[in-house]
Amino acid sequence: MNNFQHRFLVLLLACVGLSVFAYKVWFLGFPLLPGQTSAFWKVEAHVDFEAQSGPAKIRLQTLDRVPGFVVTDEHYIGGRFGLHTVTRSGNAEAVWSRRKASGKQDIFYYATLRPERNWSWTPSSEPPRLFDPGFSPAELTAADALLSKAGMESADLETFVPLLMKALLHPGSDPNATYLLRDAHSRLEAVNMAVRVLSLAGIPAQSVHGIDLVTTSAAEVRHWLEIHDGTQWRMFDVARDRFATPRDFVPWWRGDAPLLAASGVKNPEVRLSVVKDTMAAMGDVSERLSATGSPLLEYSLLGLPVRAQAMYHMLLLIPVGALLLVFLRNVVGFSTFGTFMPVLIALSFRETELVWGLTLFSLVIILGLAVRLYLEHLKLLLVPRLASVLIVVVLLMAGISIVSYKLGMPRGISVTLFPMVILSMTIERISVIWDELGPWNAIRQALGTMGVAVLTYVVMINDLVGHLVFVFPELFLVLLALTLLLGRYTGYRLMDLVRFRAFLDR
């Protein structure tokens, strides 16, 4: 592979890995830190009424398409009432009904609102349209007069709409508004009348009703007007009488329908409650992706059984240790036994903990090396000699476990977690180097192996590292790119610079 191909491959792997990583963090909200929490809101609508010993029907607007939020965990609790859900004029409705009901009844609707990443108010995507307001001749005259007065006293849309809303919200001050709202009994009806009057004036508008996201047991329905100014939809806060961008506001439904409509019952009433809660950010992401049916969750490690996930939590650390090993060997200049032996030893340290791991590993190596040096005098062939070392290692592990347990140190039993084949090969390698290069070189490589194993262990037990490699496995493409990059490194090793310092000084 020439240099161009090598650099192109490194760059491609790094770009793909980092791009997927950035997408998951910034657009899907995957947590960067372990233990990170996310806020969400639980919403409850409690409907109570008195049934009249006859057919009863309850219609309640529910949360369905809420821009910027994912609605999960919806529950419709209506006791013996039948339930079906419908969509009318773009709004989701739950309809509870019963052929014959009597006495006081309670119905509940629960939902969880999970904000999407970087949530902010999303303007309506509906195209502007005008509709026939359906005024009678007398109402048409009153509406025209109202529009004329507001038009004369205003200069633009910013001043026209507040004047119109002021007249409709306080109809006693204007006889035309009083006539238009002669049968109105709520602010909702005044807002809906404003939509009809604006449509008569050629201004597309629609009413938006929702709640503020604050913890309360008596959430108040707030009304906004969504008005198209010819280029975009703009929001008008009816309560504050001004144009503004909603903050912490969730639109529940749009249009002139009421929140609750009931027939065959007396004194129907609905109370809304909102509670803010938190949960692990990773769980929140899983819930949101599951609710939206995203294949990213199904075809990821998070979609595996819990047991398999636990296994991958450990296995995914091995490439991290391998990259660290490559850096320490090729750039720093550590000498180790074997290529991946320090990584496997570090994995064992994860189970035994560092101090006990170092103690038990050193003890087995020292005792095994003593036996191995004795076997050298017997002039055995290679395979029988390795088998003998393996048997000795197993006996040493069993002996250490029994003795430590009897001495009241059950931690010593964890010596069984060391890979016995790795121990046997380590003993064999130390022995060979001892014979060929001398004791000092053997001890130096043994210390180098232990040092690299300890550094690898420190990295592998880091919660942040474990979290990143499991939640963002695409980062392994970046690890692969770095490994390929180090694979072409031919410069000085740091330890060589120290070693040949006198030569460089000349």
Side-chain angles (χ1 to χ4, degrees):
M1 183 181 291
N2 58 38
N3 287 336
F4 173 77
Q5 288 181 336
H6 177 255
R7 290 171 184 172
F8 176 77
L9 183 58
V10 169
L11 187 62
L12 178 65
L13 291 171
C15 287
V16 172
L18 292 175
S19 298
V20 176
F21 171 75
Y23 174 75
K24 291 171 70 174
V25 171
W26 294 109
F27 292 97
L28 299 181
F30 277 69
L32 274 175
L33 302 174
Q36 196 171 333
T37 59
S38 295
F40 63 93
W41 283 265
K42 295 178 179 177
V43 180
E44 176 195 286
H46 177 196
V47 180
D48 65 90
F49 56 88
E50 288 187 29
Q52 299 297 297
S53 301
K57 182 187 289 185
I58 303 294
R59 286 182 176 275
L60 178 70
Q61 304 286 342
T62 59
L63 294 162
D64 183 20
R65 292 174 298 174
V66 184
F69 288 85
V70 175
V71 182
T72 63
D73 306 321
E74 284 189 289
H75 299 285
Y76 307 84
I77 302 172
R80 296 180 179 180
F81 279 72
L83 167 71
H84 73 279
T85 58
V86 295
T87 300
R88 297 176 60 187
S89 304
N91 297 315
E93 285 186 359
V95 182
W96 287 272
S97 58
R98 186 167 174 77
R99 181 71 63 184
K100 185 175 182 181
S102 61
K104 189 175 184 307
Q105 304 287 337
D106 293 282
I107 286 175
F108 296 89
Y109 166 71
Y110 295 99
T112 299
L113 288 171
R114 303 180 187 279
E116 294 177 346
R117 184 74 175 174
N118 301 323
W119 175 80
S120 61
W121 174 257
T122 305
S124 174
S125 59
E126 296 184 14
R129 63 183 178 86
L130 294 173
F131 62 92
D132 183 359
F135 287 133
S136 66
E139 290 175 331
L140 186 61
T141 302
D144 277 335
L146 199 62
L147 287 171
S148 297
K149 182 182 179 183
M152 291 291 291
E153 297 175 356
S154 63
D156 50 20
L157 192 67
E158 294 278 352
T159 52
F160 174 77
V161 176
L163 285 172
L164 178 64
M165 287 307 304
K166 182 179 179 182
L168 290 173
L169 293 175
H170 307 284
S173 60
D174 188 301
N176 297 303
T178 302
Y179 179 73
L180 289 173
L181 296 172
R182 62 191 180 282
D183 297 325
H185 304 287
S186 66
R187 174 164 290 200
L188 171 67
E189 291 170 297
V191 173
N192 290 331
M193 178 57 71
V195 174
R196 295 172 64 189
V197 173
L198 286 170
S199 183
L200 180 65
I203 302 175
Q206 58 185 354
S207 54
V208 183
H209 321 280
I211 56 174
D212 286 336
L213 287 178
V214 293
T215 298
T216 176
S217 60
E220 182 182 355
V221 175
R222 293 189 58 196
H223 308 287
W224 289 71
L225 277 176
E226 211 163 23
I227 301 170
H228 200 274
D229 63 2
T231 57
Q232 61 178 347
W233 287 102
R234 299 180 60 187
M235 296 298 292
F236 181 82
D237 189 344
V238 174
R240 294 183 173 87
D241 197 24
R242 65 185 182 188
F243 283 94
T245 300
R247 297 183 184 280
D248 299 326
F249 172 78
V250 172
W252 195 297
W253 81 102
R254 284 179 163 85
D256 57 358
L259 172 62
L260 174 68
S263 61
V265 303
K266 285 176 57 180
N267 304 321
E269 188 178 358
V270 56
R271 291 187 295 275
L272 304 178
S273 303
V274 182
V275 176
K276 185 178 181 180
D277 204 348
T278 59
M279 67 179 299
M282 201 58 245
D284 182 51
V285 172
S286 299
E287 293 279 352
R288 281 194 287 110
L289 293 179
S290 177
T292 56
S294 172
L296 187 63
L297 179 66
E298 186 178 355
Y299 294 98
S300 72
L301 294 174
L302 299 171
L304 296 176
V306 175
R307 186 176 180 182
Q309 289 187 34
M311 182 178 66
Y312 274 104
H313 267 290
M314 182 182 69
L315 292 181
L316 293 179
L317 292 172
I318 294 178
V320 179
L323 175 63
L324 180 63
L325 177 67
V326 170
F327 177 79
L328 292 174
R329 283 178 61 110
N330 289 24
V331 179
V332 179
F334 275 90
S335 297
T336 63
F337 290 120
T339 304
F340 300 111
M341 192 176 294
V343 179
L344 297 176
I345 295 172
L347 273 180
S348 303
F349 287 168
R350 278 174 50 88
E351 308 298 330
T352 62
E353 295 185 357
L354 185 59
V355 175
W356 274 100
L358 282 172
T359 304
L360 295 172
F361 186 82
S362 302
L363 187 59
V364 173
I365 292 296
I366 292 172
L367 294 176
L369 183 61
V371 175
R372 169 62 182 82
L373 291 176
Y374 170 75
L375 292 177
E376 185 68 22
H377 298 290
L378 301 181
K379 305 298 182 183
L380 301 177
L381 298 176
L382 176 62
V383 175
R385 190 176 66 210
L386 288 175
S388 301
V389 172
L390 179 64
I391 294 171
V392 170
V393 167
V394 172
L395 290 175
L396 288 173
M397 292 169 68
I400 291 173
S401 297
I402 295 171
V403 172
S404 60
Y405 181 73
K406 291 300 181 184
L407 292 176
M409 295 182 293
R411 198 71 184 178
I413 300 175
S414 60
V415 70
T416 55
L417 298 173
F418 284 116
M420 61 185 70
V421 175
I422 295 298
L423 287 171
S424 303
M425 293 305 297
T426 303
I427 293 171
E428 177 66 20
R429 293 290 300 274
I430 293 177
S431 175
V432 170
I433 294 178
W434 189 295
D435 289 339
E436 296 179 352
L437 303 176
W440 166 241
N441 284 315
I443 294 173
R444 186 169 61 85
Q445 287 203 26
L447 292 176
T449 302
M450 297 296 286
V452 173
V454 171
L455 291 175
T456 307
Y457 164 79
V458 171
V459 173
M460 293 172 75
I461 64 167
N462 187 283
D463 290 339
L464 177 60
V465 174
H467 171 80
L468 290 177
V469 296
F470 185 78
V471 178
F472 305 101
E474 60 276 3
L475 290 179
F476 283 111
L477 294 178
V478 181
L479 293 187
L480 179 58
L482 292 174
T483 305
L484 294 177
L485 203 60
L486 290 173
R488 288 282 183 104
Y489 178 74
T490 56
Y492 288 109
R493 296 172 181 174
L494 297 179
M495 287 188 172
D496 289 341
L497 293 177
V498 176
R499 182 181 174 190
F500 299 109
R501 183 178 59 246
F503 175 76
L504 294 174
D505 289 341
R506 296 179 183 178

